[in-house]
Amino acid sequence: MIEVRELTKRYGGTVALDGLSFTVEPGHVTGFLGPNGAGKSTTMNIALGLHTPTSGDVLLGGRRYTDLEQPLHEVGAMLDAAPAHPGRSALNHLRALARTHRIGRRRVEDLLEQVGLAGVARKKAGGYSLGMRQRLGIAAALLGDPPVLMLDEPVNGLDPDGVRWIRELMRAQAAEGRTVLVSSHLMSELELTADRLVIIGRGRLVADTTMRELAERY
Ligand code: ADP
Ligand code: ADP
């Protein structure tokens, strides 16, 4: 479960988040919708301890990211698909991550297979296509088998096969009882993936609803 509580973030004079609160439940794909600049990435960055909030907090299974003992086992995220180390292969990238977090080598091999990178696992990630980088990002996010997944605009720029693959993966993760939060600025994208929807604008909550309720009410 993800709990966003009274979250405020200011960058100098810019108010990126303005008292934002909502909860994301396990077992669903929850879409996080809002126009560019609404505060979606800021919310996810704070959830992952990459930015500090001005006030309020985000709890993952009841704790702040910075208080998690084994963060990779608690939350997996793909915030952008740029490889952290372009000179490193997918295999070495995942192995390094696995080593740091005491995850077995076998899990790395299995994941490379699962995300469809087994054939290019020894090539440098800097030469990967966008779709392959997304697959590597997803593999890193899944490495610790976390109960919470957070994906920031994961299908941007992907070919139809890649888009379908990520959608199916998110739905399968939710069906296994995980909490999945996926951001997009496009309703047309989220209506194909999400069954719940959190809509924000200018750092504030606009609606917290289900797709069904949205279709019936509007
Ligand atoms: P979204 O992900 O919904 O497109 P963001 O969270 O990226 O929105 O941005 C929310 C607001 O915060 C925007 O006005 C953006 O310009 C501003 N912002 C985001 N990151 C920074 C930063 N590092 N420095 C200054 N302003 C920022
Ligand atoms: P390194 O020293 O090799 O960079 P780190 O342990 O610092 O190893 O990990 C950094 C890399 O791991 C980055 O690519 C980052 O995106 C990824 N990473 C860290 N935590 C997570 C997470 N919870 N979910 C997905 N990827 C993560």
Side-chain angles (χ1 to χ4, degrees), residues 2-215:
I2 306 169
E3 293 167 88
V4 176
R5 304 204 305 196
E6 294 291 321
L7 198 61
T8 297
K9 177 69 181 179
R10 281 191 285 271
Y11 295 103
T14 307
V15 180
L17 296 174
D18 191 8
L20 183 66
S21 298
F22 63 89
T23 299
V24 187
E25 305 280 350
H28 299 278
V29 175
T30 299
F32 193 18
L33 179 69
N36 286 325
K40 306 181 296 294
S41 298
T42 300
T43 304
M44 289 187 172
N45 275 296
I46 291 172
L48 293 163
L50 298 167
H51 291 186
T52 48
T54 304
S55 65
D57 49 24
V58 182
L59 303 183
L60 304 166
R63 302 163 93 182
R64 290 197 184 114
Y65 184 88
T66 46
D67 294 333
L68 298 175
E69 275 149 37
Q70 296 188 297
L72 211 70
H73 296 270
E74 302 290 337
V75 57
M78 188 175 68
L79 299 192
D80 80 63
H85 305 282
R88 229 184 229 182
S89 68
L91 184 65
N92 285 337
H93 176 75
L94 294 178
R95 275 190 181 161
L97 205 53
R99 212 179 301 117
T100 311
H101 296 274
R102 297 197 182 81
I103 293 164
R105 275 183 167 223
R106 183 63 200 274
R107 172 90 182 134
V108 170
E109 316 283 334
D110 289 349
L111 265 175
L112 284 167
E113 199 67 53
Q114 190 193 331
V115 304
L117 287 180
V120 294
R122 290 172 194 282
K123 298 206 163 105
K124 288 181 182 175
Y128 285 5
S129 68
L130 177 60
M132 287 154 74
R133 295 202 297 267
Q134 305 277 72
R135 286 168 190 267
L136 177 55
I138 298 265
L142 296 178
L143 198 59
D145 200 16
V148 176
L149 275 181
M150 251 184 262
L151 309 177
D152 195 5
E153 303 265 7
V155 305
N156 266 9
L158 285 193
D159 60 32
D161 276 350
V163 171
R164 219 171 297 122
W165 179 77
I166 289 190
R167 277 191 201 133
E168 275 162 23
L169 182 128
M170 289 190 286
R171 278 199 288 259
Q173 292 286 318
E176 287 172 13
R178 297 194 180 87
T179 304
V180 182
L181 182 66
V182 52
S183 78
S184 178
H185 59 287
L186 295 174
M187 181 63 179
S188 55
E189 173 51 38
L190 292 177
E191 66 188 355
L192 295 172
T193 316
D195 48 357
R196 303 183 67 94
L197 201 60
V198 170
I199 307 175
I200 67 167
R202 295 174 185 239
R204 294 188 194 177
L205 190 70
V206 173
D208 182 350
T209 184
T210 62
M211 279 300 177
R212 175 177 298 208
E213 193 183 30
L214 197 69

